[in-house]
Structure formats: C-alpha cells, structure tokens
Amino acid sequence: MLTLPSKITLAHLPTPIEKLKGNYGANLYVKRDDLTGMEISGNKVRKLEYLVQDAKQKGYDVLITCGGTQSNHARATAVAAAKVGMKAHLVLRHEGDLPRRGNVFIEQQFGAKITTISAEQFKDVEQIMDELAAEYAKVGVKAYPIRVGASNAIGNFGYLNAFNEILEDEKRYGVKFDTIVCTVGSGGTYSGLFLGNYLSGANKRIVGVNICDSAEFFKDEIFRIANRSLKLLDKPANLTRDQFEIVDGFVGRGYALSTTEEIDFIKRVIREEAILFDPVYTGKAFRGLVTTLKNEPKKIVDKPTDNVLFIHTGGLFAVFSKEDLFY
Ligand SMILES: *Cc1c(COP(=O)(O)O)cnc(C)c1O
C-alpha cells in the first residue's frame, strides 16, 4: 500500500459503518465520520491530522483558517490547536454579533481568536489570511494559514487515508462497496477518496454531491488540488476533469440555506433510519443520493444490487444552531 506522509492522531479511527433499513434501489451503508470524535467530530479532523503535523514539523505556533459563521472546519481547527498546544485564529464570514451557539460556542470555549469579515471581504479571504500571518510574523510568531475547508494538497491525504481504511472496513464487515458517495463543499473529501481509489486500483465509483456552487466549478477545483497531491507523492499528475463524477442539482436555495423539502427529508430519515444529518452538508447530499438513485440510478450504481457507502461527514454542531428550522 502507498506510503503517505506522517500524521498526528486527532481522530478516533476507524469509524463504524451501518447498513440502512430502507429500500433505496441499492444497498445503502453509512460510514459514520460524524463519530471521528466529539468536540473535533466530522470530516475536517482527518485532513487536520496531516496539516497540523506539517505545521508542527515546520515550527508553527498558530493555525489560521476561515469559513462561514457556523463552519465545522473552523471549529475542528480550534479544537485541534487546543489539543496540540497551538493557538487558532479563525476568520469567519459574519456581520454583526456572533451567535454564541453551535460551532462558535465550541471555538470560544476552546480559546480560539475569532475575526469576522463581510461576505464581500471574504472573496479575498486567502489574502486576508496571508496578511494576518504577516502580522504575526512581525511579532515573531509563525502562523500557518489553512485554506477554506482544509482542501489542499496535504489536506487531501486525510481522505486518501480514509479510503484505505474503507478497504480494511470491507474485510471487517465482509462487504464490498461498489460506489462511495460523499458531500462536496470544498472538494477535499472527494479528492482524497478519488485519489485513494485511483492509486489503489480498487476500481470503485466515487460520486460527489455538491451542496454549493456547481459540478463544473468543483471539477476544476478537484482537478487542481488532486493533481497537486499526486505531485507531493511523486506520482504523475495526469488526472483529467472528466474522471470526476459529481451529481449536481441539490444545492437548493444556496450554501447553508434550506428548503422545507430538505428539512422534511432530514426529519423523515431521522424517523426511518435513526440517523441525524445536518441541513448544510450531509442532509442535502444524502437527499441528492436517494433522489438520484430513484430517478437516474446509473449516475450512482451500475445495477440495483450494488453496495453504496455514503460518508456521514458530520456537521452536528451546526444543527444545534439551526434547531428552529426543525419545528
Ligand atoms: C466541510 C464539510 C463537508 C464538505 O467536505 P469538503 O471536503 O469540504 O468538500 C461535508 N460535510 C460537512 C459536515 C462538512 O463540515
């Protein structure tokens, strides 16, 4: 098996897999990456295991990152920093007072410093993080900027490693997965799974459901970051955009905005499967998966007896900033 760069341990792995009860037109399983931990739960911790290692090895003191008001990634970064004795500085897209709920609550309790900027300013957030790092440098502090969602060449190793874990899961559970489906929010989860499949020759289908922007936008994004990961691994960086399978059409009203249909769907899944998905990411993507299996199954599976593994990427703290939607 391919050797990845070293990582620190932040996540509780391997995460469990559950088979769903309902009839979906394929055998559906869920890998519970919402259970990678408690405070640090969700998919970002897998990426942070590699990024924090890189930062520590290079002698950094502060992790800078960014996201929306209730960013799960910003929260996971705050917790990771606290665990390894670093500081976190978060740049959140938010106007007005911060709500003291959900992910923001955790960030504040874990001692992260938070700077808020407007949606307009957020368009230049990479530059703003670089400037912040330069400010730290002036006072002799080394600050490590992590781009949105930790989706970069190093962050991708998190889900490359998760793919290898899934190959082990197949032996543990005695089931072979034909298709792996994940939410696409910044592209790193998809990129990592794709690379794991590609480099191992496992020959599965890796399907993403985008919950913001468009499939075309993410094909470009994944093309860029996945090829960079291949370069870091000294492999030919010759992936092409048409290799990525992204199912579009489930963004709804836009990033972090919900429709009644989406919330009703999540509530139905709670009752039928006893699993809680979040409205921003996994709820939309799982709805995309179930709807597409029904209407255009070829986009997900080759035949109805195929085994499909959906990655529950977390987002539970964000649910507890949006309870009102459910009543
Ligand atoms: C960030 C996030 C995603 C999206 O993953 P990417 O790697 O950014 O595409 C999915 N689900 C949850 C809960 C997230 O926080």
Side-chain angles (χ1 to χ4, degrees):
M1 200 179 275
L2 174 84
T3 334
L4 292 178
S6 63
K7 67 179 184 77
I8 59 164
T9 298
L10 293 169
H12 298 269
L13 304 177
T15 53
I17 290 177
E18 294 173 22
K19 188 173 195 296
L20 297 188
K21 297 181 261 187
N23 184 355
Y24 298 96
N27 302 310
L28 268 198
Y29 295 80
V30 176
K31 184 161 173 71
R32 300 293 303 265
D33 273 12
D34 53 320
L35 302 179
T36 48
M38 210 296 261
E39 302 89 340
I40 207 162
S41 65
N43 62 340
K44 303 309 182 308
V45 61
R46 288 191 185 264
K47 309 177 188 193
L48 287 166
E49 289 194 321
Y50 290 92
L51 286 159
V52 175
Q53 170 77 337
D54 186 54
K56 274 188 86 80
Q57 273 175 346
K58 293 175 179 162
Y60 284 89
D61 315 294
V62 177
L63 301 173
I64 298 178
T65 200
C66 62
T69 310
Q70 286 294 344
S71 164
N72 300 306
H73 165 62
R75 180 258 311 154
T77 305
V79 177
K83 274 198 189 290
V84 301
M86 297 173 84
K87 295 259 179 259
H89 192 146
L90 313 172
V91 181
L92 301 184
R93 182 180 59 230
H94 185 84
E95 280 161 68
D97 291 339
L98 273 171
R100 297 172 165 184
R101 316 168 64 183
N103 286 307
V104 176
F105 168 79
I106 303 280
E107 291 155 10
Q108 289 168 336
Q109 300 313 310
F110 279 71
K113 187 169 163 54
I114 302 178
T115 299
T116 55
I117 60 175
S118 68
E120 194 52 36
Q121 291 170 305
F122 199 84
K123 290 177 184 158
D124 300 315
V125 71
E126 305 274 321
Q127 195 191 324
I128 290 171
M129 290 197 292
D130 286 343
E131 285 164 8
L132 209 52
E135 289 298 313
Y136 276 107
K138 278 188 200 154
V139 292
V141 175
K142 283 185 77 178
Y144 185 92
I146 301 174
R147 76 177 290 260
V148 67
S151 290
N152 66 13
I154 296 175
N156 283 348
F157 295 142
Y159 271 86
L160 209 172
N161 188 46
F163 184 87
N164 293 339
E165 182 179 305
I166 291 167
L167 296 181
E168 294 299 314
D169 291 337
E170 290 186 327
K171 294 180 206 153
R172 263 194 293 275
Y173 291 91
V175 52
K176 252 195 143 27
F177 301 110
D178 302 289
T179 304
I180 302 176
V181 180
C182 73
T183 311
V184 178
S186 64
T189 302
Y190 185 93
S191 296
L193 292 170
F194 184 91
L195 288 168
N197 187 48
Y198 176 76
L199 293 170
S200 67
N203 211 16
K204 300 184 187 304
R205 289 179 70 178
I206 310 294
V207 177
V209 182
N210 60 297
I211 56 78
C212 56
D213 298 293
S214 67
E216 289 315 307
F217 172 87
F218 281 114
K219 283 182 187 179
D220 285 344
E221 192 69 9
I222 293 162
F223 169 76
R224 218 166 39 78
I225 60 176
N227 276 317
R228 282 193 197 152
S229 298
L230 285 173
K231 276 196 195 126
L232 284 184
L233 294 170
D234 276 327
K235 302 277 178 196
N238 53 7
L239 299 177
T240 58
R241 288 169 180 77
D242 56 13
Q243 290 173 283
F244 310 131
E245 296 191 73
I246 313 283
V247 175
D248 212 335
F250 298 93
V251 174
R253 292 169 56 224
Y255 177 72
L257 300 173
S258 297
T259 64
T260 326
E261 290 75 27
E262 288 163 9
I263 299 297
D264 286 348
F265 174 82
I266 293 171
K267 291 171 74 165
R268 203 164 66 236
V269 175
I270 293 173
R271 288 191 303 269
E272 291 173 4
E273 301 287 358
I275 291 188
L276 174 58
F277 288 122
D278 78 292
V280 181
Y281 293 98
T282 55
K284 283 186 184 179
F286 189 70
R287 182 165 172 267
L289 166 58
V290 169
T291 310
T292 308
L293 266 177
K294 197 160 131 203
N295 300 335
E296 299 169 281
K298 295 278 179 225
K299 284 191 175 176
I300 311 282
V301 290
D302 299 335
K303 50 189 188 314
T305 50
D306 279 358
N307 296 319
V308 177
L309 182 65
F310 180 74
I311 315 284
H312 190 329
T313 39
L316 271 296
F317 287 111
V319 176
F320 295 104
S321 68
K322 289 178 174 286
E323 306 97 322
D324 295 353
L325 289 176
F326 289 76
Y327 287 101

